[in-house]
Amino acid sequence: MRSLRLGLLIWLSAFACLMACAQPVTATAYRLRPLDDIRIQVYNEPQIDAVIPVLPDGKVSAPFVGLVDVAGKTTAEVELDLADRYKEKLKLRDPRVSVVVMRYRPIRASVTGMALQPGRYEDFRPGDTVLHLLTRAGGASPDRADMYRATLIRGTSRESIPIDLYAMMFKNDMSQNYELEDNDTLIIP
């Protein structure tokens, strides 16, 4: 009987994680980061078509205009900036510039403590959340984890955020399903 209950709890835990991960995340415009790859194109200007990386200092080497600071800007902001530069440098009348993110810099995050598969995971994308991370780690250990007292440690600021995994998974309370940032750590006591 105990193994049946344990199996059911594991199945429900995995199902709740998957359902929660399917919830839409309120998206704001993505801001470019170092190591993203972007494609720059100008309509009717085939010589201006390049896929280039955002350098570690946040700049790209845009065709015919040189280094341009793009880190922290949206693709729309970069399009406007490049259009102005192409007007000035190449004397284009009304350049229609397109900037598209071809590859996002992967977000790395870790799970420690009472997860079924604790460890470091490296290929999260913008918009992925705490429940994506928990699902990757196989969920919380059903008989050992204290799901009411998990903690998210932010990788950049080292801020400690308490998280009630039980409320997220079994009560569908997504208010604590934070978007992942690079080097976040989820601790499950």
Side-chain angles (χ1 to χ4, degrees), residues 38-57:
I38 62 172
R39 182 176 194 166
I40 298 173
Q41 293 178 294
V42 178
Y43 180 71
N44 274 344
E45 298 293 336
Q47 69 275 22
I48 305 175
D49 184 354
V51 175
I52 50 180
V54 178
L55 300 173
D57 65 358

Side-chain angles (χ1 to χ4, degrees), residues 15-138:
F15 181 73
C17 278
L18 290 174
M19 292 307 293
C21 288
Q23 297 289 326
V25 175
T26 306
T28 57
Y30 178 74
R31 300 211 169 260
L32 295 171
R33 302 180 319 153
L35 306 180
D36 286 340
D37 287 340
I38 62 172
R39 182 176 194 166
I40 298 173
Q41 293 178 294
V42 178
Y43 180 71
N44 274 344
E45 298 293 336
Q47 69 275 22
I48 305 175
D49 184 354
V51 175
I52 50 180
V54 178
L55 300 173
D57 65 358
K59 296 182 175 160
V60 294
S61 180
F64 303 108
V65 294
L67 290 176
V68 178
D69 192 13
V70 299
K73 296 181 180 178
T74 65
T75 55
E77 291 169 340
V78 175
E79 287 170 353
L80 292 173
D81 185 14
L82 287 174
D84 289 342
R85 290 173 189 252
Y86 285 128
K87 282 180 194 173
E88 181 183 321
K89 288 226 177 187
L90 299 180
K91 307 297 184 210
L92 297 178
R93 231 183 291 198
D94 186 23
R96 288 187 262 169
V97 179
S98 169
V99 176
V100 178
V101 179
M102 299 301 290
R103 186 182 64 83
Y104 295 100
R105 171 187 172 191
I107 297 171
R108 298 171 297 264
S110 303
V111 179
T112 63
M114 295 298 133
L116 293 175
Q117 298 170 9
R120 183 167 178 81
Y121 300 93
E122 301 217 354
D123 55 348
F124 292 103
R125 297 178 6 180
D128 284 351
T129 63
V130 169
L131 283 178
H132 288 96
L133 176 59
L134 183 61
T135 300
R136 207 53 143 336

